Amino acid sequence: MDLSAGTQLVAIPGPSVIPEAVRIAMSSPMPNIYAGDLLECADRVLERLPAIARTAARAFIATSNGHGAWELAVQNVLAPGDRVLVVETGRFAVLWGEYAERVGATVDTLTADLGQPVGAEALSAHLDMVDEDYAAVLVSHTDTMTSVRNDVSEIRRALDACGSTALLMADCIASLGCEPYLMDDWGVDVTVSASQKGLMCPPGLGIVWADERAIETYRGRAGSPATSYFDWGPRLEPRGFYDTFSGTPPVAHIRALDVALDLIDNEGGLDAVWARHEVIAAAVRAAVEAWSTPDGIGFVAAEGFRSNAVTTVSTGVIDATALRQRCEHRGGLTLGIGMTTHPDQSFRIGHMGMVSPPMILGTLGVIEAGLRSMNAPIGQSGVAAASEVLATALAQ
Ligand SMILES: *Cc1c(COP(=O)(O)O)cnc(C)c1O
């Protein structure tokens, strides 16, 4: 029976659910782009962005998705002939590495076992083995395919211990605004993110934070970036507002992000937002744990390295595609497609951005009902386990 009338809840790992206030902010008429409110709004956004990555580094914005942010990063610090190391724990760092290759860099890849992060030991062993230092190391903080969260500060320590001067570049598209991320404390030189995940806006803004070392690298590199639009130059020294965005600003998105940053402030700041994500993610993990059986539901990411933004659920003998379709077409819940192995063997739950207890209990409840409707083997009630986690948090 189809019970999906009403608003479909989309719980994929990005784009995330857009808060009402953000949606309303986007619908205002277009302003003058050379003077007035929009300039103040853009200034507020640019002033507040460093704090979101916990850095003093300035942020550059491109009118793009996350792939554009990748471009906005690699085009400016890499040059033909550079050697780059991609630290792979799923898919996204490898795809980013392909962008580095297009710049002319030679890319090596260090791949972790499925579900594991790349640890300091493996990285140190690899660095000892290669005879030439890397220009940059590319890593996904949270890999959205496996839902593994890497320890970025450990990667920096391993680089330092080996005497590497590589720029550390982190893809925080899935993690920013969801998981603790301390760009400066962790020694990251370039952070890349986008508007549509933890930042609660529609896709359309690619954001890059570049520290002094990265900007020095930009200034010292041979030649200009291959594309004018993605060149940091005009953004670094804008002759006017127009340069800051390399053309007409993405007006609706800038307004949206301003309101989204207000929502973060109003919740009690980034620490409060991280704490909520931690509880919501713990509820999801408790549910998956309760459902799990030896040949059915399980985790892809190893314990201790599970993201607070997305959970990849392996389904063993259960047909994940059939489950997703039942949830989507009859249950009113859209889940993320599994990318880990065969699409029938996993699915993903996005819990990034403005996710509340009723949203997550609803999500887990529909998954559980879907599993039961298929007579799928499950251990215990995941909903009961998740509500225990929420109860503990509510009591605090
Ligand atoms: C979503 C995502 C991307 C891709 O972002 P797009 O906006 O689709 O280009 C890249 N890296 C990670 C870690 C992501 O989660």
Side-chain angles (χ1 to χ4, degrees), residues 13-14 64-68 70 92 140-144 171-175 194 196-197 203 352:
S64 75
N65 57 14
H67 283 65
W70 283 345
F92 289 92
S140 267
H141 182 211
T142 286
D143 188 287
T144 321
D171 172 345
C172 297
I173 296 173
S175 60
Q196 77 271 26
K197 299 190 183 181
M352 44 180 60

Side-chain angles (χ1 to χ4, degrees), residues 69-233:
W70 283 345
E71 192 80 279
L72 184 63
V74 294
Q75 283 280 345
N76 288 282
V77 291
L78 298 178
D82 280 346
R83 201 161 166 192
V84 168
L85 179 65
V86 165
V87 172
E88 190 208 0
T89 53
R91 169 175 281 181
F92 289 92
V94 169
L95 296 176
W96 192 12
E98 289 172 7
Y99 279 52
E101 230 157 19
R102 274 297 283 270
V103 178
T106 306
V107 175
D108 295 345
T109 306
L110 178 62
T111 308
D113 291 340
L114 183 67
Q116 297 289 335
V118 166
E121 270 174 42
L123 181 57
S124 303
H126 178 87
L127 292 170
D128 284 346
M129 205 181 69
V130 292
D131 45 12
E132 173 195 357
D133 197 8
Y134 287 105
V137 172
L138 272 48
V139 61
S140 267
H141 182 211
T142 286
D143 188 287
T144 321
M145 169 179 144
T146 54
S147 68
V148 167
R149 182 183 53 224
N150 284 291
D151 187 336
V152 176
S153 75
E154 188 178 287
I155 290 172
R156 165 52 77 196
R157 282 196 298 276
L159 289 172
D160 288 349
C162 295
S164 171
T165 60
L167 291 175
L168 180 54
M169 301 173 68
D171 172 345
C172 297
I173 296 173
S175 60
L176 204 79
C178 305
E179 336 239 14
Y181 177 74
L182 310 173
M183 177 173 170
D184 287 358
D185 284 2
W186 295 355
V188 180
D189 301 294
V190 178
T191 300
V192 169
S193 196
S195 49
Q196 77 271 26
K197 299 190 183 181
L199 295 179
M200 303 175 280
C201 294
L205 296 181
I207 311 169
V208 167
W209 291 257
D211 75 354
E212 279 309 314
R213 225 158 68 83
I215 289 171
E216 268 168 41
T217 305
Y218 164 80
R219 294 206 162 108
R221 70 195 277 291
S224 308
T227 74
S228 300
Y229 178 73
F230 288 103
D231 191 339
W232 287 352

